[in-house]
Amino acid sequence: MRILVVEDEHRIASSLKKGLEQEHYVVDVAYDGQTGFDMASEGVFDLLILDLMLPGKDGLTLVKELRAQSIHSPILILTAKGQTQDKVIGLNAGADDYLVKPFSFEELLARVRALSRRPPTVSPETITVSNLTLNQKTFEVRRDDQVINLSKKEFTLLLFLMEHQGKILSKDQIISHVWDYDADVLLNTVEVYIRALRRKIDLPFKQLIPLIKTVRGFGYKIEE
Ligand code: CA
């Protein structure tokens, strides 16, 4: 799951990025409104966190213009104390939730989790494909009741595949949701990570059907 943080205060922006990355989110940061707008318009982010007071283009304008461009990702706005009337305007303009600064990281995380909640058929904490389970809160992955240790990136990739189980995902789609802009990713990198995941979740379970499938010329999918 990929998040864009638009925040001009570098200290806040970098602590949000660090904290969210620890929770296995993929995070990019923009420090002004125009850059934030350009990045968000690409439509690759699953969630946007916008500060209201921004140089270039303010947060409210961003919300309005992104919604007008049919960018439907959930938006969490950050407001300073005393800007409470802005939060109402923000929600009316199409934001989904707001937080008043200063806020605790736990509070932010709770909002982020609530906004990114999966469809009701899937419980928000655990995603399952056959006998493979992934817990988004504890980061535990199990197959056939055996705990599987994954690297951070392998976990993010597996989560992305499992959230879209049954659907074919192209390498480009995988790259744009699993890696941030700073990462130097080649199409080949996706293959390397898919291979690493297979070695951990499919190959050790020879008596079971492999879950990660290659669809030649299109990409990958995970399904029973
Ligand atoms: Ca600001």
Side-chain angles (χ1 to χ4, degrees), residues 7-9 51 53-54 101:
E7 165 65 86
D8 57 318
E9 284 172 70
D51 183 32
M53 300 272 275
L54 290 166
K101 289 179 183 177

